[in-house]
Amino acid sequence: MHMRGGIDGGVTDGVVIGEGVVLDARPASFVSRALAALLDLAALAVVGIALLIVVALQDVAFDEQWARVAGVVAAVLVMVVVPTTVETLSRGRSLGKLITGLRVVRDDGGPVRFRHAFVRALVGIGELWLTFGSVALIASLSNSRGKRLGDLLAGTYVIRVRGGRGRTVPLAMPPELAVWARTADIRRLPDGLALAARQFLDRAPRLAPASRAGLADDLAGRIEPFVAPGPPPGTPAEAFLHAVLHERRDRELERGRAEQERAEARAATLHRLPYAVPDPPR
């Protein structure tokens, strides 16, 4: 297989590849991120007001100590629990980001998970809430990808998503590459490269044949150094991209299933343990 390109200089924001075409892995603009943040803040304010109304309707008298505890619990719910849950379940699309067409992704272009969402929300207490967003503003303006501190620690950034159009081409493992892909060592891809390859495969049927071949060749050349051993000689570049992304996705799903099974096994073991250890006989 002949694949041009390589990884000279790494992968830049926007991932400019063959014939000057930019695949949409560029960070979102500051204005769109700020608008999304304001919309999220308004939604969280509604949640906070709803919690206060629910507490008020209970007609329960709290002393000063319990009032402080209730306030802390409500703050944690609004600032950490709700944002983490929403970003985890929506794969990085809170209400504000959904309206503005944004998404939070990992640095390698993959979907965020609980850990990423939790770190973003936890750090956000200091850089968004306690400092009224001033720390996040400074960090975002000084970073080439517009990352705030939470993004830097979580390994994420915010991108613009094409409105309303989902995946058009499902990932498919080429039969002739199935055995090779199962045994290949696929290392972590550079920032945005996996996302760029996935977006190319979505757009490929709508590209002119010459552009399609050139883009596939260039992207495959960027990815090939991260796969060992290389694909069999004569493998088409586009088939190579399908095989790598398909195997990469399956391995992530398998790791997720294994982690869930281990968590369930630990929970079952803890459930069987006695609540108290009896005193030894005297």
Side-chain angles (χ1 to χ4, degrees):
M1 176 177 61
H2 174 67
M3 295 187 291
R4 293 183 293 105
I7 56 171
D8 297 340
V11 180
T12 60
D13 294 337
V15 191
V16 181
I17 56 179
E19 304 184 23
V21 176
V22 180
L23 295 180
D24 298 326
R26 290 175 295 177
S29 67
F30 173 76
V31 174
S32 59
R33 293 197 310 273
L35 178 58
L38 289 175
L39 292 172
D40 286 336
L41 183 60
L44 290 173
V46 171
V47 173
I49 293 172
L51 288 174
L52 292 176
I53 293 174
V54 169
V55 172
L57 291 177
Q58 299 303 312
D59 195 23
V60 177
F62 290 104
D63 58 26
E64 184 178 350
Q65 180 180 358
W66 281 108
R68 285 199 297 267
V69 171
V72 171
V73 171
V76 171
L77 284 173
V78 171
M79 293 188 290
V80 178
V81 176
V82 173
T84 299
T85 303
V86 170
E87 279 198 358
T88 302
L89 296 180
S90 65
R91 297 286 185 98
R93 304 203 75 180
S94 61
L95 178 61
K97 293 180 179 63
L98 184 64
I99 294 174
T100 55
L102 307 181
R103 181 189 293 275
V104 181
V105 297
R106 302 195 308 258
D107 282 341
D108 65 353
V112 295
R113 303 187 186 280
F114 170 80
R115 175 176 61 83
H116 308 95
F118 178 71
V119 171
R120 279 171 50 83
L122 195 62
V123 178
I125 295 177
E127 66 169 333
L128 294 175
W129 295 93
L130 299 183
T131 61
F132 300 100
S134 59
V135 174
L137 173 63
I138 295 172
S140 181
L141 291 177
S142 61
N143 186 273
S144 61
R145 286 190 164 189
K147 291 187 173 192
R148 61 179 179 87
L149 296 182
D151 289 313
L152 292 172
L153 293 176
T156 59
Y157 71 113
V158 181
I159 64 170
R160 175 168 291 281
V161 181
R162 286 182 177 271
R165 201 156 54 193
R167 299 300 190 197
T168 58
V169 178
L171 290 176
M173 174 63 72
E176 66 276 13
L177 297 180
V179 175
W180 164 79
R182 281 197 297 270
T183 58
D185 177 21
I186 302 176
R187 292 187 287 139
R188 180 184 174 118
L189 301 179
D191 296 353
L193 183 54
L195 180 63
R198 188 63 180 95
Q199 290 175 336
F200 161 74
L201 293 177
D202 285 340
R203 296 177 55 203
R206 301 189 295 274
L207 297 175
S211 297
R212 179 174 179 172
L215 293 173
D217 193 50
D218 191 84
L219 271 172
R222 292 172 181 265
I223 291 178
E224 189 176 19
F226 299 90
V227 181
T235 298
E238 200 166 322
F240 170 74
L241 295 177
H242 268 284
V244 170
L245 295 187
H246 187 282
E247 182 65 23
R248 182 173 178 268
R249 181 196 64 189
D250 283 359
R251 291 182 186 183
E252 285 194 358
L253 291 174
E254 183 59 34
R255 281 195 293 269
R257 283 194 293 267
E259 290 176 1
Q260 183 177 358
E261 290 174 358
R262 285 195 293 269
E264 292 175 350
R266 285 195 296 267
T269 301
L270 292 174
H271 183 71
R272 290 194 297 267
L273 292 176
Y275 291 101
V277 178
D279 296 330
R282 295 181 179 178

